Amino acid sequence: TRKIAVLTSGGDAAGMNAAVRAVAKMGLYRGCEVFIVREGWAGLVAGNVNAAPADVRPPPQRAGKYHGNQDVEGEKFAATFGEGELLQEGAGEGLKGRHILKVGWDDVRGWMDIGGTLIGTARCAEFREKEGRETAAFNLISLGIDALVVIGGDGSLTGADRLRGEWPSLLDDLEKSKRISAEQRSKHAHLTITGIVGSIDNDMAMTDITIGAPTALHRISEAVDSIGSTASSHSRAFVVEVMGRHCGWLAVMAGLACGADYIFIPERPPKSEDWESEMCNGLKSHREHGKRKTIVIVAEGALDRQLKPIKPAYVADILTKRLQLDTRVTTLGHVQRGGKPCAYDRLLATLQGVEAVEAVLDATPQTPSYMIGLKENKVKRVSLMDAVKATAGVGDAIEKKDFDQALQLRDPEFLE
Ligand code: F6P
């Protein structure tokens, strides 16, 4: 029986719960034991301080009841906690100090349409140190867990890739310090790691879309539509800052979806050094064509050709001074990240969660660690290591001002 742990890490994204639910249900359906890790990598490092491993799972309460399949061994489908208990604030006394919990079928019931991540996420300084990763490895091994599904963005999957690369040396150290036995070492010689990309930024290479990005795009589009009606009423200009970290996907897509007048992104800085004049000429001509509103979208990581950040307040100042437009700045902030996942994110998360479990079950010591991506509308396994490398390459290319290369790595079809 495979023992699969699933965690969410990095910034939350709508659809993460649907992904955890899919991994849990598919894992149980395929006869695995499934554990959730609360609070991301931090939870993996913290482990179950107040609970002995044997304690982790209280006796099943409703064996088999909800699955409706009497032939199936009840144990596999039992809920570990009272229905919905994990949803409660603080999750009850019984969960104190426990970060790695075995779950049953009903524990993830109703998770599909809930925003954020119910199992928590945290930035974890300890996991960045080898000692922290060693403790995380120890916690996994002591619970007999042999597969890890990580749902997160670029940084989180880079962490996953690091754990993958380091696993043998972590085992060496753990055995040397007698924290694990030789027998445990050989039993856990391979940890199967699979990544699912959850991030509103859509900044991961080798996949067309990441879980949470479509919902964030909806959220932004609705906000910009609302801004549009007040802008038109007053004949104003608005500079709207959107998230995306070093990636311009949200800005470009929202700009197209809302008919923005001008868009600034990190990967393709304005062609002209004098971008201020270039922008003003464009916006002036839109006004001359009768537009009563001006919408400029600025990705939070937007850069000029000298890699100097382009900030919304500066853009607004230019519009006011050079075009005499009554200009306001709106920073959309975390409203873009929260809230219910749209239908597409639920489907993406579900299909990718299912595929992640299949990838775990197909894994052999020879197969690489996979990231579950989406290419041309098909759920695909790609090499986690390659995806992490290509994503890092985007940042390097931008730093070298090789903007075409940055776009090429981000999305080979984008340039066409
Ligand atoms: O990566 C997701 C994201 O929302 C980015 O778009 C943004 O730059 C960042 O996280 C904000 O992080 P925090 O929530 O820690 O402020």
Side-chain angles (χ1 to χ4, degrees):
T1 307
R2 299 294 313 251
K3 293 191 178 189
I4 306 176
V6 53
L7 63 83
T8 56
S9 166
D12 62 282
M16 278 184 163
N17 293 315
V20 172
R21 170 187 175 275
V23 170
K25 292 211 165 184
M26 188 62 182
L28 292 167
Y29 178 72
R30 298 285 259 117
C32 308
E33 288 179 35
V34 180
F35 296 75
I36 53 148
V37 182
R38 302 166 72 211
E39 315 300 349
W41 293 117
L44 204 56
V45 175
N48 293 335
V49 279
N50 295 331
D55 239 18
V56 166
R57 187 169 199 252
Q61 296 163 13
R62 291 183 298 279
K65 188 167 167 196
Y66 290 99
H67 193 253
N69 180 351
Q70 296 312 312
D71 296 336
V72 174
E73 192 194 343
E75 171 81 358
K76 281 178 199 157
F77 297 100
T80 304
F81 308 100
E83 189 180 337
E85 192 180 338
L86 281 172
L87 301 183
Q88 287 162 20
E89 191 66 23
E93 275 300 296
L95 297 185
K96 269 217 178 114
R98 296 174 177 194
H99 293 93
I100 309 173
L101 308 160
K102 191 167 169 180
V103 287
W105 191 259
D106 292 337
D107 291 323
V108 291
R109 171 183 273 217
W111 285 29
M112 180 75 101
D113 66 334
I114 297 175
T117 167
L118 291 161
I119 61 176
T121 178
R123 310 235 183 266
C124 180
E126 284 116 307
F127 193 76
R128 282 189 213 117
E129 306 299 324
K130 190 162 185 214
E131 214 182 308
R133 294 193 291 278
E134 206 174 292
T135 305
F138 172 76
N139 287 333
L140 288 171
I141 293 170
S142 60
L143 290 169
I145 294 167
D146 52 23
L148 184 62
V149 176
V150 178
I151 305 169
D154 165 22
S156 316
L157 297 188
T158 304
D161 189 53
R162 182 176 272 188
L163 189 65
R164 173 201 60 80
E166 228 178 35
W167 190 252
S169 93
L170 294 177
L171 292 188
D172 282 346
D173 292 351
L174 286 172
E175 196 189 351
K176 247 184 247 150
S177 60
K178 300 206 174 350
R179 290 174 86 190
I180 60 168
S181 64
E183 196 192 327
Q184 277 176 312
R185 196 217 148 109
S186 77
K187 187 164 171 252
H188 289 274
H190 302 282
L191 175 74
T192 308
I193 296 187
T194 305
I196 297 180
V197 206
S199 167
I200 66 164
D201 301 337
N202 201 20
D203 57 351
M204 196 79 202
M206 296 179 72
T207 184
D208 291 343
I209 194 79
T210 60
I211 296 168
T215 301
L217 178 57
H218 277 286
R219 217 69 87 223
I220 296 168
S221 301
E222 280 168 6
V224 175
D225 290 347
S226 303
I227 287 170
S229 62
T230 172
S232 284
S233 307
H234 290 257
S235 196
R236 276 178 173 159
F238 274 81
V239 181
V240 184
E241 186 187 80
V242 301
M243 281 187 169
R245 215 179 280 268
H246 307 299
C247 181
W249 187 87
L250 283 173
V252 170
M253 295 302 155
L256 289 173
C258 302
D261 296 274
Y262 218 82
I263 307 168
F264 290 101
I265 61 168
E267 301 90 334
R268 176 156 282 185
K271 287 215 168 63
S272 161
E273 297 284 348
D274 181 14
W275 59 263
E276 291 92 338
S277 301
E278 188 183 294
M279 172 183 71
C280 287
N281 292 340
L283 299 186
K284 197 160 157 262
S285 92
H286 294 178
R287 286 277 169 169
E288 283 162 4
H289 278 86
K291 277 190 100 169
R292 279 181 58 84
K293 64 175 180 186
T294 300
I295 305 284
V296 177
I297 298 198
V298 183
E300 63 180 351
L303 299 169
D304 71 10
R305 292 202 91 69
Q306 300 314 319
L307 305 186
K308 213 173 106 225
I310 293 179
K311 290 291 170 199
Y314 178 72
V315 175
D317 208 37
I318 300 287
L319 300 188
T320 310
K321 289 197 177 124
R322 295 215 199 162
L323 297 177
Q324 288 76 50
L325 288 171
D326 186 10
T327 308
R328 299 285 187 275
V329 173
T330 304
T331 303
L332 294 183
H334 289 75
V335 76
Q336 298 163 87
R337 212 161 81 184
K340 264 181 182 294
C342 66
Y344 186 83
D345 271 323
R346 299 178 200 187
L347 295 172
L348 185 65
T350 302
L351 296 175
Q352 294 194 331
V354 164
E355 183 62 14
V357 172
E358 293 296 357
V360 166
L361 294 176
D362 289 347
T364 68
Q366 284 73 42
T367 45
S369 293
Y370 288 117
M371 179 187 95
I372 310 300
L374 190 91
K375 271 277 154 202
E376 297 180 348
N377 241 1
K378 298 219 163 31
V379 173
K380 289 257 158 69
R381 296 174 196 178
V382 299
S383 148
L384 175 67
M385 195 171 74
D386 291 351
V388 164
K389 215 166 124 203
T391 307
V394 176
D396 296 344
I398 292 177
E399 251 169 53
K400 288 188 199 127
K401 301 189 188 168
D402 189 347
F403 303 113
D404 281 354
Q405 168 73 355
L407 276 181
Q408 185 73 26
L409 283 169
R410 179 87 79 209
D411 180 356
E413 278 98 50
F414 199 95
L415 281 178
E416 281 146 33

